[in-house]
Amino acid sequence: MAFNKKNANTKQEIPTTSMPDIVFILLTFFMVTTVLRTTDLQIRVDLTRATNIEKIEQKRLISYVYVGPEKLEGNQIGDTKVQIDDVLIDNMTFIRRIMYDKLVEQPKLIVSLRVDRESEMGAVTDVQQELRQAGTLQINYSTRRQQ
Amino acid sequence: MALLKKKKPRVMPEIPASSLADIAFLLLVFFLVVTTIDADSGIGLVLPPPPEENVEPPEVRERNMLKILVNASGMILINERPASIQDVKNRVMEFVDNNGVDENLSVNPRAAIVSIKTDRQTPYEIYIDMLDEVRGAYKQLRDAVAMQRAGVPYDIYKGRQERAGEEDEVKEIYPMNVSIAEPDKGTGN
């Protein structure tokens, strides 16, 4: 009897009112710390503006090719280079193979050319010629909307 | 005994926290909706397939081709004549929508081809501006037809037809035949 008396009025529940807070804080923490992986641009790409542009809805179809002056140390810029994913392309003919491989994986591939506004057409033409050889004919000149 | 009994019924004062979850959830939904992962926008184009050896490119009648050249200094030449960037839109519209009236311009919009050529030293920005103007010309022509047929601009008309699974008649009337000309060989830097 003495044993029973001890437990009589004690509540055994864990307080759960702060549960949502904990979940929310956890969620916020992970949302804030997660970084969506983006390509490290080794070249400067400052896009041009245009009015009559269209949006590409299917983001997964897009593959980017960057063209622009290479970023050098101390805010200097160098010659115009081409970058695909994370690497600078030294030899233009590599583009053909890279893009062909991508096309095999995604037959509806759209190549988005992100070209710096101060570039000349020479590099763009070279890239386009390689893309034609690779068979990736759908291209898109990335521009921002004119303000 | 009386003292002990009095103390027992005291309850800890609680803040009503039942709605906290809702508030957090609402905040979360708000930020999820407001945040946009920027979609890529730009000027779409289809490159011509690589030229095959020993196969002559198809003949195009002179009048059905509008040649736009942007040269190394960023000057625009339409059919070998200098033109300003503001002219491009009107010239393209005139050319495409000629329907055989002027014998130097296109026979009909379907046959009309806008051929674009650039130099290696052409500034990219001017090239894009020019392409923008060409697209603007087609947009205006398409908008006009879409307005006439459906009473809405082409963008909305296109969306409707796509959803309905019907053919885009406006696009059939004014197909955008923009072709990138074969670059000259041996004009390296």
Side-chain angles (χ1 to χ4, degrees):
Chain A
M1 264 327 251
F3 185 73
N4 263 352
K5 236 181 185 174
K6 240 185 183 176
N7 267 357
N9 286 321
T10 332
K11 281 188 178 172
Q12 293 277 326
E13 272 170 52
I14 304 163
T16 52
T17 41
S18 53
M19 224 11 207
D21 302 83
I22 296 162
V23 171
F24 186 58
I25 285 169
L26 263 173
L27 184 76
T28 314
F29 173 75
F30 282 110
M31 276 182 81
V32 169
T33 49
T34 310
V35 180
L36 292 176
R37 211 197 83 96
T38 45
T39 26
D40 241 343
L41 279 183
Q42 294 170 54
I43 57 180
R44 190 193 71 187
V45 174
D46 185 6
L47 295 175
T48 54
R49 294 182 183 278
T51 332
N52 302 298
I53 55 177
E54 56 198 18
K55 268 199 176 141
I56 304 174
E57 307 292 343
Q58 299 124 309
K59 222 180 156 118
R60 59 194 177 83
L61 299 184
I62 305 175
S63 175
Y64 294 101
V65 174
Y66 304 91
V67 180
E70 190 180 4
K71 281 186 210 158
L72 301 175
E73 276 173 51
N75 275 336
Q76 300 271 319
I77 48 166
D79 295 334
T80 299
K81 290 266 171 70
V82 178
Q83 184 183 339
I84 297 175
D85 294 338
D86 274 326
V87 283
L88 287 179
I89 309 291
D90 304 315
N91 191 336
M92 283 290 187
T93 48
F94 290 161
I95 299 174
R96 192 179 306 186
R97 289 181 49 195
I98 296 167
M99 289 333 263
Y100 181 76
D101 288 347
K102 288 193 177 189
L103 185 69
V104 171
E105 260 175 52
Q106 173 58 261
K108 284 170 152 183
L109 190 79
I110 300 169
V111 180
S112 183
L113 295 173
R114 295 177 84 90
V115 185
D116 187 76
R117 59 196 300 170
E118 280 164 31
S119 321
E120 288 176 351
M121 280 304 289
V124 181
T125 311
D126 289 343
V127 172
Q128 279 177 185
Q129 290 300 90
E130 289 303 317
L131 292 179
R132 285 174 67 187
Q133 294 296 335
T136 47
L137 302 177
Q138 283 279 357
I139 62 161
N140 177 64
Y141 297 107
S142 210
T143 56
R144 276 181 288 169
R145 187 165 287 284
Q146 193 105 45
Q147 301 284 289
Chain B
M1 210 45 196
L3 210 111
L4 207 93
K5 256 193 176 169
K6 239 183 184 176
K7 252 188 180 171
K8 256 191 177 171
R10 198 195 254 179
V11 207
M12 276 282 282
E14 257 180 64
I15 304 161
S18 53
S19 57
L20 217 95
D22 302 80
I23 295 164
F25 188 60
L26 227 72
L27 265 171
L28 181 78
V29 171
F30 172 75
F31 281 109
L32 272 174
V33 169
V34 164
T35 313
T36 45
I37 298 171
D38 54 334
D40 201 47
S41 59
I43 297 172
L45 208 67
V46 182
L47 294 172
E52 281 172 55
E53 276 172 50
N54 309 321
V55 178
E56 282 290 305
E59 281 287 319
V60 178
R61 278 167 73 187
E62 188 81 4
R63 63 181 292 190
N64 283 334
M65 184 134 89
L66 185 77
K67 287 183 217 143
I68 303 179
L69 169 75
V70 190
N71 72 9
S73 50
M75 273 169 64
I76 295 168
L77 294 111
I78 300 176
N79 283 340
E80 278 105 40
R81 293 266 178 79
S84 77
I85 188 111
Q86 289 86 6
D87 291 340
V88 173
K89 190 174 168 184
N90 283 329
R91 287 291 295 273
V92 170
M93 280 173 69
E94 242 174 62
F95 163 75
V96 172
D97 213 18
N98 180 51
N99 286 311
V101 179
D102 190 325
E103 57 183 29
N104 293 317
L105 301 176
S106 74
V107 178
N108 62 52
R110 254 159 292 149
I113 296 171
V114 179
S115 168
I116 291 165
K117 195 166 186 174
T118 52
D119 220 67
R120 286 197 73 85
Q121 278 83 30
T122 302
Y124 176 73
E125 209 171 357
I126 293 172
Y127 168 72
I128 290 296
D129 285 348
M130 188 271 301
L131 262 183
D132 197 18
E133 291 294 310
V134 174
R135 285 182 69 93
Y138 273 101
K139 186 179 181 289
Q140 198 167 327
L141 291 171
R142 285 176 174 183
D143 273 352
V145 176
M147 269 303 208
Q148 210 179 55
R149 298 209 169 189
V152 286
Y154 177 65
D155 282 350
I156 298 168
Y157 170 84
K158 187 181 163 193
R160 269 192 207 166
Q161 297 297 95
E162 259 170 35
R163 256 171 279 133
E166 282 170 40
E167 274 190 34
D168 192 338
E169 287 170 32
V170 176
K171 199 177 180 178
E172 250 169 62
I173 297 169
Y174 292 114
M176 206 184 296
N177 300 322
V178 176
S179 128
I180 305 286
E182 203 67 32
D184 290 329
K185 286 192 180 85
T187 48
N189 291 309

